[in-house]
Amino acid sequence: MLAFFNGLPARLRAVARMVPPGSRLADIGTDHAYLPVYLVTSGRCPRVIAVEKKWGPYRRAMAAVANAGLQGLVEVRLGDGFAPLKPGEVDTVTITGLGALTQQDILTTGAAVRQALRRLILQPQGEAGPLRRFLATIGWCLEEEELVYEGGHYYFIMAAGQGESPAYSDVEWRFGPLLLRRRHPLLRVYLLQSMEKLNAARRQLLNAKSERARARLAEVDRQLEDIREVLAWLQDSAK
């Protein structure tokens, strides 16, 4: 089982660690069903529902479950988001590898299922700040955050439970209040790489004359200032 866990992508290992033992879990957008197979075979979850909306990934998930001999413990369902689930059927949901806006749509349209959950574990593709803010607007509070690096990309993972969220600053929403509180060891490198990309974008925008380009330049400058602020804070706190 340790070998299977080590074979999971780093981002899915981080997600698995956030799943409370004994959870009744649904994995939305399961693809190859690697996470459900691990959670059941490890004994962390007694049963998992794996949800896929496209036929190709659905068939891959079915094959993976059959190959693992877990047909009675991992149920693969075809459908979009929370649509294949009944309210109260699961208490924990994982959504990984989908864009932040797609995850927001799933959580919005599946409000009845969402309201019966105890924990959401989300790994959005791309920027995570808007998803953090969205969770607060629908009555969810961040409980855990992780940052992992894999295959040349950084992935933010967050676990949330129902409850009122603190009023975080813009910088905290953007980079992760719990990651900042922990002074996560990957944050500095992530911020430096983000700064490189923003500086490259800034150089391209400097000679642009359109109003849209000027607005984008102002936004890039604001983001750079936020990064400099966090980097300075991390440096001072390390002394």
Side-chain angles (χ1 to χ4, degrees), residues 12-110:
L12 293 185
R13 294 201 299 271
V15 169
R17 285 190 288 264
M18 292 184 182
V19 175
S23 296
R24 294 178 292 112
L25 184 136
D27 182 42
I28 309 300
T30 196
D31 198 12
H32 291 82
Y34 292 148
L35 183 61
V37 167
Y38 168 75
L39 291 172
V40 169
T41 55
S42 68
R44 198 169 189 92
C45 293
R47 182 174 177 272
V48 173
I49 299 171
V51 177
E52 254 302 339
K53 73 173 185 177
K54 296 182 179 179
W55 273 104
Y58 171 77
R59 287 194 293 266
R60 287 197 295 269
M62 291 285 287
V65 171
N67 288 339
L70 297 176
Q71 294 94 325
L73 298 175
V74 178
E75 181 184 353
V76 185
R77 297 182 184 177
L78 184 66
D80 191 2
F82 288 175
L85 304 175
K86 298 176 183 177
E89 190 174 17
V90 296
D91 56 40
T92 303
V93 159
T94 54
I95 311 178
T96 66
L98 300 178
L101 290 178
T102 299
Q103 296 198 18
Q104 290 182 35
D105 289 342
I106 290 171
L107 295 172
T108 299
T109 58

Side-chain angles (χ1 to χ4, degrees), residues 171-188:
V171 169
E172 287 174 315
W173 284 124
R174 184 178 174 202
F175 299 119
L178 306 186
L179 295 174
L180 290 166
R181 184 184 303 171
R182 289 169 54 196
R183 295 171 174 80
H184 194 285
L186 285 181
L187 261 181
R188 183 176 181 276

